[in-house]
Amino acid sequence: MLRWPLGLALVSWRYMWRTTPVHRSEADGDASDLPPDIPPDLLDDDVQPAEDGVGPLFHRRFSVRVDGATQEPEELIAAFAGEPNSGAPSEVAVFVKSRGEPGSLSVGDEFLIRMPGPWDGPVRVVDRTDTSFRLATLRGHLEAGQIEFSCRPEGDRLLIGIEAWARSGDRLSHLLYSGVGVAKEIQLNLWVETCLRLAAGAGGRYRGGVQAHTRRLPEPFPPPEE
C-alpha cells in the first residue's frame, strides 16, 4: 500500500528538480495516430486493445538523441529487453516476468508491471526486432493499447524512442488521466526517466533534452472514415 504515495512523492520530487529540459507539445490527432495492428495469433480474450478502452486515444512519443554512443542500437535494446528494470525507475514501475524465459525477450512473453496505485499492468510482447519491441496491454491494465521501445541510428547519433498508443482502461483511470491529469503526469515522468536511463546506458552524451509529444484523438473511436 505504501508504494502508491511513495511512488507519487518521488515522481513529483524528480519533476520539480529535473535539470534536463523536457520539450512538451500537444496537438489534435487524426487517423494516422491509430495504433499498429496486433498479430491475429496474439489477439485473444486476454488482450485489452485500444478499442476496448474509455475516452480519447493518446498517441505519445518520447525521445532522446545520444552523441558518441559506445553501444550499438541492437546491444542497447537487447540489454533493456532482457532486463527491463535496468531502464525503468523501480520506484514507479517494476517489471515482473510472468511468461517466457528470464534474461531474454520473445513474442508472446508476458510481464506484470507493478506500479504505484491500485493497478498492476499486465502486458504481452506482440512484436520484437533487433532494434525494438512492442507490448500490448492485457485485461486489468490501467490503459488499453500498445507501447513500443526502440533505438535506431540517426546519422552519427542514436535515437532512443518510446511510442505509446493508448486509451484509459476504465472510467476511474480515465478520470485520473484525462480529468485531474495525475496518471498522465506520472506516465510522462516515467517514460522521460526511462529515456534518460537508456541514454546513460548507451554511453556518450544526450543532446537537446527529451522530446515529449502528445497527439489526442477524441471519441468516437475508431474515427469514422472520411
Side-chain angles (χ1 to χ4, degrees):
M1 293 296 293
L2 288 175
R3 289 196 70 248
W4 189 6
L6 288 176
L8 289 174
L10 284 167
V11 166
S12 299
W13 179 265
R14 280 184 174 165
Y15 180 81
M16 288 187 296
W17 293 101
R18 189 185 304 280
T19 57
T20 302
V22 178
H23 306 286
R24 303 176 62 166
S25 71
E26 297 206 17
D28 293 335
D30 55 35
S32 67
D33 296 293
L34 294 174
D37 291 333
I38 297 174
D41 59 324
L42 297 170
L43 190 59
D44 57 26
D45 290 340
D46 291 332
V47 175
Q48 183 167 272
E51 291 83 354
D52 292 351
V54 176
L57 176 87
F58 290 92
H59 181 196
R60 309 192 82 183
R61 293 188 180 98
F62 306 87
S63 62
V64 62
R65 289 170 170 80
V66 181
D67 289 335
T70 59
Q71 282 199 325
E72 296 295 326
E74 297 83 358
E75 295 175 310
L76 187 70
I77 288 298
F80 183 44
E83 181 46 85
N85 293 310
S86 64
S90 61
E91 65 274 12
V92 182
V94 176
F95 285 73
V96 179
K97 197 158 198 180
S98 55
R99 181 179 179 183
E101 293 295 323
S104 63
L105 192 76
S106 300
V107 170
D109 287 359
E110 295 181 3
F111 290 90
L112 183 64
I113 307 175
R114 300 196 179 279
M115 299 179 289
W119 302 271
D120 285 333
V123 295
R124 176 180 296 165
V125 182
V126 294
D127 188 64
R128 174 77 165 98
T129 73
D130 288 343
T131 58
S132 69
F133 62 93
R134 180 161 38 95
L135 310 175
T137 56
L138 302 179
R139 301 296 170 190
H141 198 288
L142 174 70
E143 294 185 307
Q146 300 179 62
I147 186 167
E148 182 176 84
F149 303 88
S150 65
C151 181
R152 297 183 175 89
E154 187 182 70
D156 295 332
R157 297 175 170 176
L158 291 187
L159 176 64
I160 296 170
I162 301 172
E163 186 168 7
W165 305 261
R167 304 168 75 200
S168 297
D170 55 35
R171 296 196 179 279
L172 177 56
S173 59
H174 173 52
L175 173 64
L176 292 175
Y177 196 96
S178 301
V180 297
V182 172
K184 187 178 180 182
E185 290 305 301
I186 289 176
Q187 185 188 73
L188 176 116
N189 283 278
L190 166 62
W191 299 134
V192 165
E193 184 68 21
T194 301
C195 280
L196 294 176
R197 290 187 179 209
L198 292 175
R205 304 178 70 177
Y206 55 83
R207 300 288 186 184
V210 179
Q211 305 293 321
H213 302 305
T214 300
R215 286 171 60 85
R216 183 178 184 274
L217 187 60
E219 296 183 277
F221 184 87
E225 295 183 1
E226 295 183 355

